[in-house]
Amino acid sequence: MEALIPAFEKYAITSNERIASFLAQIGHESGQFNVLEEKLSYTAARLMKVWPKRFPSLAKARKYERNPEKLANFVYANRIGNGPESSGDGYRFRGRGLIQLTGRSNYASASQALGIDLVTHPEQLSEPAVAAMSAAWFWATRGLNELADDQTGDNDLEDFTTITKRINGGTVGLQERFQLFKSAEQTLMA
C-alpha cells in the first residue's frame, strides 16, 4: 500500500471515487495484490474459455496447455507492439504490475513516461513501486480518473464497465471488480 501513495499523488488519484475505482480494478487485475506477473499456466479447457477465437478446439488448446512461454508468444504475437511468435515478445512483454501492463508498445510508453527502461528490463514492472506507478500512469492516460468521478445523473455501473473495458479489453471479472469497488468505497467513506 505504501507504494501507492506517490502514484496517487503524481496521477491525481485523490478523490474517494477515484481511489475506490482504482483499487477495485488493480485489486482484481493483481489477484488482490498477490500477482505482479501474468502466470499463463492454463488447462486446455480454460484456454478455450479465455481465448475462444484462438483456441476453437481442444486439440489446438492442448498444444499450449501449461506452457506459459509458448502461450504468451502465440496469443500476444503481432499485436500491442509485439513482433511475431518467434520474437519472444509475447512472453517478454506479458502482463506485469498491478494493472497487468501487456505488450511492447505499452512497456515502451510506460518507460518513456516513468523514465525507467522497461523494454530492456521488463521484470522491473514486478517491483512494488514500479508496479504502482505504472498502473497509475496507465489509469490516468486512459482517462479513467474522469470516468471514476461521480457525476449526478450518470450511470455509475456503466462508467465502471467502461473503465473495466479500457483496462481489460472486455468485461472479465466485472462483478468482482464492482464488489471490490463498493467495498473500497464503504471503507473510504467511513
Side-chain angles (χ1 to χ4, degrees):
M1 223 28 192
E2 232 176 83
L4 292 172
I5 303 303
F8 284 170
E9 292 170 359
K10 182 171 182 170
Y11 291 101
I13 304 169
T14 52
S15 69
N16 287 343
E17 292 88 3
R18 290 178 180 191
I19 293 169
S21 293
F22 181 80
L23 290 175
Q25 293 290 342
I26 65 171
H28 176 81
E29 290 291 322
S30 67
Q32 307 298 320
F33 303 93
N34 291 307
V35 178
L36 294 180
E37 187 173 294
E38 191 175 16
K39 299 299 180 212
L40 296 165
S41 184
Y42 293 109
T43 64
R46 183 72 181 141
L47 287 172
M48 292 175 68
K49 288 181 182 171
V50 175
W51 287 288
K53 290 179 183 173
R54 286 180 168 59
F55 300 103
S57 71
L58 201 54
K60 180 156 187 178
R62 282 198 175 117
K63 294 177 185 177
Y64 295 88
E65 185 174 43
R66 303 271 185 226
N67 191 333
E69 189 168 352
K70 184 177 180 179
L71 174 63
N73 287 331
F74 173 66
V75 298
Y76 296 138
N78 299 311
R79 47 187 296 253
I80 39 184
N82 291 341
E85 240 180 288
S86 61
S87 72
D89 283 353
Y91 189 69
R92 185 177 306 109
F93 301 111
R94 66 191 175 278
R96 285 193 180 93
L98 290 172
I99 212 154
Q100 295 295 299
L101 197 67
T102 307
R104 179 186 282 275
S105 60
N106 283 323
Y107 276 58
S109 294
S111 288
Q112 186 174 18
L114 303 177
I116 302 167
D117 186 358
L118 299 171
V119 174
T120 304
H121 301 286
E123 70 282 353
Q124 290 182 92
L125 270 171
S126 297
E127 297 170 8
V130 178
M133 198 62 74
S134 65
W137 163 81
F138 184 92
W139 177 270
T141 59
R142 297 329 188 259
L144 303 180
N145 274 331
E146 294 75 16
L147 280 170
D149 291 339
D150 188 23
Q151 298 179 21
T152 306
D154 74 342
N155 183 325
D156 291 342
L157 182 56
E158 186 178 302
D159 290 344
F160 197 79
T161 301
T162 301
I163 290 170
T164 301
K165 286 178 181 178
R166 288 189 188 172
I167 291 170
N168 182 265
T171 57
V172 173
L174 181 62
Q175 292 304 328
E176 179 192 356
R177 292 170 198 261
F178 198 65
Q179 288 172 349
L180 289 169
F181 166 71
K182 287 298 184 187
S183 178
E185 188 178 50
Q186 284 180 334
T187 301
L188 291 165
M189 301 293 181

